[in-house]
């Protein structure tokens, strides 16, 4: 995680961004020191440090009595990106590494986490305003974020969890949690027919409820009972139960309870776990997993950064069928 660049870079970015968009042309005057101080809340010395860098790069020059003006429009531009994740885990690490590998040279990234705290989320975004060329935001379930996003000075991209009310306003690469869940279950409907009821197990405050919407649609189509659980705990497993679990802790609790009751996953009851890991290939003879491709998500986002038009991309899902189903 890189440190924030010095505040004088606001002045540098201001001029370079406007040259890139052809708002500033050769010979055009740029704001005065006092103008920059007022716009960005900087000290006189900080503004001058930014102007000094621009002059050293041959981008601007000064004329006594006139002020500063554009000397050259030949600037090397790049992306300085504010990247905000909801939390850190191995899947987000895969996403981040893939994004960085695909982004190439000329891209710098500052990575932050809001950990599902709305106040932290808003504070980080407000503090980042006017400091970056691009803002990639993983908002999770936070609602009503458009007024906040509209204040940002650069391009805004949404990641992983997309809000329909923002469609067409920002580029995004995200999971379609409802459709992914329904389509995955539909693809193995013959295997699921042997079960009597399906439980969606996830913490409501963090996880998308759209997953349960997809499950309800599938159960309605096939006449299966369904319910929503926040956790499995020491809940007794009934034969014919199929559990769709998000957290690995719930997966472990299920397997412990199955051992106590001497039940076998895939025979007496079923398990589908979100997000694949190498361990799940071996655990209990193999746990069936439903995953989005986080590495592809990172690569796709790097492609969107280089695309000027607004693009909405649904990241594909993969169902790995193993013994637990």
């Amino acid at each position: 995680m890189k440190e924030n660049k010095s505040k004088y870079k606001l002045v540098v970015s201001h001029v370079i961004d406007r040259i890139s968009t052809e708002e500033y042309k050769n010979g055009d005057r740029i704001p005065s020191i006092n103008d920059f101080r007022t716009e960005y809340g900087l000290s006189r010395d900080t503004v001058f440090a930014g102007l000094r860098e621009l002059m050293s790069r041959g981008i601007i020059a000064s004329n006594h009595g006139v002020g500063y003006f554009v000397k050259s429009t030949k600037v090397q531009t790049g992306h300085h990106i504010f990247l905000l994740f909801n939390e850190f885990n191995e899947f987000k690490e895969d996403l981040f590494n893939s994004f960085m590998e695909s982004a190439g040279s000329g891209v710098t990234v500052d990575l932050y986490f809001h950990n599902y705290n709305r106040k932290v989320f808003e504070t980080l975004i407000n503090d980042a305003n006017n400091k970056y060329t691009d803002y990639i935001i993983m908002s999770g379930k936070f609602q009503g974020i458009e007024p906040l996003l509209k204040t940002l000075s650069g391009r805004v991209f949404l990641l992983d969890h997309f809000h329909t009310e923002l469609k067409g306003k920002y580029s995004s690469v995200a999971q379609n949690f409802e459709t992914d869940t329904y389509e995955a279950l539909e693809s193995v409907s013959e295997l699921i027919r042997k079960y009597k009821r399906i439980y969606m197990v996830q913490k409501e405050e963090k996880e998308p409820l759209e997953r349960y919407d997809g499950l309800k649609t599938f159960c309605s189509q096939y006449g299966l009972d369904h319910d929503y659980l926040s956790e499995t705990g020491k809940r007794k497993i009934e034969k014919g139960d199929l559990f769709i679990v998000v957290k690995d802790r719930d997966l472990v609790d299920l397997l412990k309870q199955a051992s106590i009751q001497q039940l076998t996953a895939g025979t007496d009851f079923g398990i589908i776990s979100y997000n694949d890991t190498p361990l799940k290939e071996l655990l209990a003879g193999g746990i069936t997993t439903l995953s989005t491709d986080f590495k592809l998500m990172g690569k796709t986002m790097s492609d969107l950064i280089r695309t000027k038009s607004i693009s909405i991309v649904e990241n594909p899902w993969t169902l790995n069928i193993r013994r637990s189903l």
Side-chain angles (χ1 to χ4, degrees):
M1 183 161 53
K2 297 180 180 294
E3 295 180 356
N4 278 334
K5 292 191 173 183
S6 300
K7 290 184 177 180
Y8 78 86
K9 289 291 186 182
L10 292 172
V11 177
V12 177
S13 296
H14 174 101
V15 175
I16 289 178
D17 289 348
R18 283 157 180 78
I19 290 175
S20 299
T21 60
E22 299 184 354
E23 181 178 340
Y24 290 168
K25 297 180 174 60
N26 257 334
D28 284 354
R29 290 182 60 185
I30 67 171
S32 66
I33 290 177
N34 286 334
D35 289 336
F36 277 121
R37 290 181 64 190
T38 300
E39 182 167 356
Y40 294 111
L42 303 175
S43 69
R44 185 179 184 85
D45 288 345
T46 300
V47 173
F48 187 68
L51 296 173
R52 187 167 59 243
E53 177 174 319
L54 289 165
M55 287 190 288
S56 70
R57 293 167 60 177
I59 296 172
I60 67 170
S62 64
N63 189 330
H64 184 69
V66 175
Y68 297 91
F69 62 92
V70 176
K71 180 181 178 182
S72 173
T73 56
K74 295 179 180 179
V75 296
Q76 291 184 342
T77 60
H79 295 277
H80 185 37
I81 298 172
F82 171 79
L83 178 56
L84 181 58
F85 279 3
N86 49 20
E87 64 180 353
F88 180 79
N89 55 40
E90 60 185 298
F91 314 116
K92 304 300 166 51
E93 184 177 8
D94 286 342
L95 193 165
F96 177 76
N97 289 336
S98 175
F99 174 76
M100 294 302 297
E101 289 172 5
S102 303
S105 60
V107 173
T108 59
V109 177
D110 293 346
L111 176 62
Y112 298 90
F113 303 92
H114 60 74
N115 293 306
Y116 303 97
N117 184 310
R118 181 65 179 253
K119 185 176 181 180
V120 171
F121 174 80
E122 294 179 355
T123 298
L124 288 172
I125 291 178
N126 283 323
D127 288 347
N129 200 7
N130 295 310
K131 297 178 183 177
Y132 298 89
T133 60
D134 308 274
Y135 298 81
I136 302 175
I137 296 173
M138 188 181 291
S139 62
K141 294 172 62 176
F142 294 145
Q143 299 293 317
I145 63 174
E146 185 178 7
L148 180 62
L149 300 182
K150 288 172 68 174
T151 67
L152 292 173
S153 59
R155 297 178 68 200
V156 177
F157 301 82
L158 302 178
L159 190 59
D160 195 32
H161 195 136
F162 185 73
H163 299 280
T164 55
E165 68 272 15
L166 301 178
K167 188 172 182 178
K169 299 178 181 179
Y170 305 101
S171 289
S172 71
V173 53
Q175 301 180 62
N176 187 326
F177 295 100
E178 179 176 356
T179 300
D180 291 357
T181 299
Y182 171 79
E183 289 182 350
L185 295 175
E186 172 67 21
S187 71
V188 288
S189 58
E190 291 300 320
L191 289 175
I192 293 178
R193 286 180 186 273
K194 65 182 179 182
Y195 298 103
K196 299 176 181 178
R197 65 201 70 83
I198 307 178
Y199 295 101
M200 176 68 68
V201 186
Q202 65 175 23
K203 290 288 187 182
E204 186 173 337
E205 65 271 17
K206 291 184 178 182
E207 303 296 338
L209 287 173
E210 294 97 321
R211 287 173 176 154
Y212 189 44
D213 293 333
L215 171 60
K216 288 190 291 186
T217 300
F218 174 80
C219 288
S220 175
Q221 182 175 335
Y222 287 91
L224 293 169
D225 291 335
H226 59 82
D227 205 351
Y228 186 97
L229 305 174
S230 61
E231 60 182 16
T232 55
K234 297 181 180 179
R235 178 189 180 91
K236 183 179 179 181
I237 301 171
E238 301 290 342
K239 288 188 176 183
D241 287 347
L242 171 59
F243 296 89
I244 304 177
V245 297
V246 175
K247 294 297 183 182
D248 288 348
R249 167 55 62 188
D250 290 311
L251 173 61
V252 171
D253 287 344
L254 271 176
L255 294 176
K256 285 182 178 179
Q257 186 63 30
S259 178
I260 293 171
Q261 295 182 227
Q262 297 184 333
L263 299 176
T264 301
T267 303
D268 301 310
F269 73 105
I271 300 176
I272 299 175
S273 176
Y274 279 98
N275 299 322
D276 198 24
T277 64
L279 183 60
K280 291 176 185 177
E281 294 182 40
L282 305 175
L283 195 62
I287 301 296
T288 296
T289 58
L290 172 56
S291 295
T292 197
D293 188 336
F294 283 104
K295 291 182 179 179
L296 179 60
M297 185 180 288
K299 182 181 183 305
T300 303
M301 179 52 71
S302 73
D303 293 338
L304 292 184
I305 290 291
R306 294 186 286 267
T307 303
K308 291 185 178 180
S309 60
I310 293 177
S311 300
I312 311 299
V313 181
E314 288 189 5
N315 210 54
W317 56 268
T318 301
L319 188 69
N320 301 292
I321 303 170
R322 301 186 182 119
R323 181 177 174 180
S324 71
L325 189 60

